[in-house]
Amino acid sequence: MRNALKIGELAKHTGCDVATIRYYEQAGLLPKPARSDGNFRLYGDSQVERLALIRRCRSLDMTLLEIRTLLRFCDAPERNCGDVNALLEEHISHVADRIAELRRLEKELKNLRRLCQDTQAAKHCGILEGLSKGAAGSRRRKALVGHVHRAHAPRRKAKSA
Amino acid sequence: MRNALKIGELAKHTGCDVATIRYYEQAGLLPKPARSDGNFRLYGDSQVERLALIRRCRSLDMTLLEIRTLLRFCDAPERNCGDVNALLEEHISHVADRIAELRRLEKELKNLRRLCQDTQAAKHCGILEGLSKGAAGSRRRKALVGHVHRAHAPRRKAKSA
DNA sequence: AGAAACCCTCTAGTTACTCTAGAGTCAAGA
DNA sequence: TCTTGACTCTAGAGTAACTAGAGGGTTTCT
C-alpha cells in the first residue's frame, strides 16, 4: 500500500479524533484497515475519503444509522439516486421540525424571563412562579408537555483543535 | 399523609412515565417518598407540584443539571431571583445558538438536495458527489467542520399518550 | 380463590462518542 | 545501546436521560 497513514495522521487529515476513528471502525462505518508489522492500523486514500464523507455527514447532523445507509448506497455498484434523495429529504424535515420546536421554546423562555423583569422588586420570583404555574404567560401549553421528540444530549464545551 | 398517590397515579397526574419518576428519584431530583406497608411509594401534593415543575422545565429543554440547580433555588428559604434569572438567560442563549446552527445546516442540506435535482438525469448522483467533495455548493465550509456543539441524541418516535 | 393490574428492585440497552488503564511499538537523542 | 517520548494497541467504563425487561411481590376485582 502506497501512501499509508497511521491513525494519528488520518486523524490530522480529517480533523477527527483518533478514538472516534476506532469507534467508527467498530461501528462498521469504516472497514477494518490493513495493519503494520507492529499491529498499527494503516489507511489508504480511499479510507481518507470515506472518513471525510462520514465527518461531513455528521457535521450535517445525520445519525450514524443514516450514514451507514448512505454508505451502502455509495458502495453499491449502481448508485441509486432516488434512495439517497429520499434519505436527504427525510433528514431535512427532521431538521426543520427541530427548528420549529426550538423557536416555540425560545418564545416561551422569553415570556418567562419577562415575568421576572416585571416583578424584579417583588418578594418572590416571577420566573419560579411562572414555572410552577406552568403557563409562562401563554394559554396553549399542552402542545409542549406531551411526547415531542427532543434532543437530550449534553451541551459539551467546544474543544479547540 | 392525606391524599397520598401511588406512583402510577402520580404518573397520570403529571403525564410522566412511571419509570421516569423512579429515575428522577434516583437522580436526586425528587426526594425519597414515604412508603406504604407493601413498600409502594406514596406521594403528597408537594411532590406532585415538584414533578410538574421538573417536567415543565424538561419541556423547555433544560438539562437535569440545570433543573437540579433551579430546584436548589426553590428549596432555599430566601429565593434568589438573580440566580434564577441568570440560569434562564444562559439557557435561552443555548437555545438561540442551537437554532442558528440548525438554520445553517438546513441551508446546506437544501443546497445539497438541489445538486441532485439538477443532475437527476446524470449517471452519478449529485448529492453523493457534493458530500464527498465537501462543498455542497458553498464556499464557507470550515465553520461547520470543527467542534460545534451538537445534539447527538437519537430521534425517537413520538409515543401517543 | 384466582386473575389482572399494579408495584418492587436490578440490570442492561440506547447514541455517539470520550476517557482511562496497562501494555506494546517506534524514532531520535545521549 | 539505552532511554526518553510520542505514538499506538485493546478492553472496559462513563456520559445524558431515559426505556425495556426479568423476576418477583401486592392489591384489587370478581
Side-chain angles (χ1 to χ4, degrees), chain A residues 56 58 60-61 66 81 89 94 98 103 105 108 113 116 125 134 136 147 150-152 155 159, chain B residues 56 58 60-61 66 81 89 94 98 103 105 108 113 116 125 134 136 147 150-152 155 159:
Chain A
R56 170 120 188 98
R58 286 296 295 128
L60 294 173
D61 231 17
E66 288 173 311
C81 202
E89 282 293 340
H94 285 323
R98 182 82 182 122
R103 276 224 274 257
L105 225 149
E108 282 215 69
R113 183 180 51 182
C116 188
C125 178
H147 303 275
R150 258 197 312 271
H152 290 295
R155 283 185 288 270
K159 214 168 80 189
Chain B
R56 170 118 188 100
R58 287 294 296 128
L60 295 173
D61 230 17
E66 287 174 310
C81 201
E89 282 291 343
H94 285 323
R98 182 82 182 123
R103 277 224 274 256
L105 226 148
E108 282 214 67
R113 185 181 50 184
C116 187
C125 178
H147 304 273
R150 258 196 311 272
H152 290 295
R155 283 185 287 272
K159 214 168 81 189

Side-chain angles (χ1 to χ4, degrees), chain B residues 38-109:
Chain B
N39 200 32
F40 287 11
R41 288 171 177 81
L42 296 178
Y43 298 93
D45 290 346
S46 71
Q47 294 316 93
V48 179
E49 266 175 55
R50 195 183 182 89
L51 179 54
L53 173 60
I54 292 171
R55 291 310 288 174
R56 170 118 188 100
C57 290
R58 287 294 296 128
S59 83
L60 295 173
D61 230 17
M62 293 186 197
T63 65
L64 294 193
L65 194 64
E66 287 174 310
I67 298 172
R68 226 189 314 270
T69 305
L70 200 64
L71 286 172
R72 261 206 303 278
F73 295 146
C74 279
D75 294 341
E78 67 319 328
R79 299 172 161 199
N80 191 332
C81 201
D83 291 341
V84 174
N85 214 344
L87 194 149
L88 191 61
E89 282 291 343
E90 212 193 317
H91 184 60
I92 288 176
S93 93
H94 285 323
V95 171
D97 286 354
R98 182 82 182 123
I99 289 175
E101 194 189 328
L102 284 176
R103 277 224 274 256
R104 266 203 315 277
L105 226 148
E106 193 184 24
K107 222 189 251 172
E108 282 214 67
L109 287 168

Side-chain angles (χ1 to χ4, degrees), chain A residues 30-60:
Chain A
L30 290 173
K32 301 209 176 256
R35 296 289 184 136
S36 73
D37 286 354
N39 199 33
F40 287 10
R41 288 171 177 82
L42 295 178
Y43 297 94
D45 290 347
S46 71
Q47 294 316 94
V48 178
E49 267 176 53
R50 195 183 181 88
L51 180 55
L53 173 60
I54 293 170
R55 291 311 287 175
R56 170 120 188 98
C57 290
R58 286 296 295 128
S59 83
L60 294 173

Side-chain angles (χ1 to χ4, degrees), chain A residues 3-156:
Chain A
N3 211 3
L5 302 175
K6 279 189 289 181
I7 198 167
E9 294 162 335
L10 176 60
K12 242 167 254 166
H13 271 261
T14 52
C16 181
D17 195 79
V18 166
T20 305
I21 297 175
R22 283 194 280 252
Y23 172 74
Y24 287 161
E25 177 185 331
Q26 196 233 272
L29 293 173
L30 290 173
K32 301 209 176 256
R35 296 289 184 136
S36 73
D37 286 354
N39 199 33
F40 287 10
R41 288 171 177 82
L42 295 178
Y43 297 94
D45 290 347
S46 71
Q47 294 316 94
V48 178
E49 267 176 53
R50 195 183 181 88
L51 180 55
L53 173 60
I54 293 170
R55 291 311 287 175
R56 170 120 188 98
C57 290
R58 286 296 295 128
S59 83
L60 294 173
D61 231 17
M62 293 186 198
T63 64
L64 295 194
L65 194 64
E66 288 173 311
I67 298 173
R68 224 189 317 267
T69 305
L70 201 63
L71 287 172
R72 261 206 303 280
F73 296 147
C74 279
D75 293 340
E78 66 321 329
R79 300 171 161 200
N80 190 332
C81 202
D83 290 342
V84 174
N85 214 345
L87 193 149
L88 191 62
E89 282 293 340
E90 211 192 320
H91 183 60
I92 288 177
S93 93
H94 285 323
V95 171
D97 286 354
R98 182 82 182 122
I99 289 175
E101 194 188 329
L102 284 176
R103 276 224 274 257
R104 265 203 315 277
L105 225 149
E106 193 184 26
K107 220 189 252 173
E108 282 215 69
L109 287 168
K110 284 180 175 171
N111 280 343
L112 212 48
R113 183 180 51 182
R114 234 197 355 256
L115 280 185
C116 188
Q117 286 166 341
D118 291 354
T119 60
Q120 190 81 13
K123 278 192 299 293
H124 48 288
C125 178
I127 293 176
L128 290 176
E129 298 269 298
L131 277 171
S132 26
K133 293 301 179 305
S138 76
R139 250 134 253 106
R140 39 112 198 89
R141 113 192 58 140
K142 232 181 193 165
L144 263 163
V145 168
H147 303 275
V148 186
H149 105 256
R150 258 197 312 271
H152 290 295
R155 283 185 288 270
R156 31 193 122 212

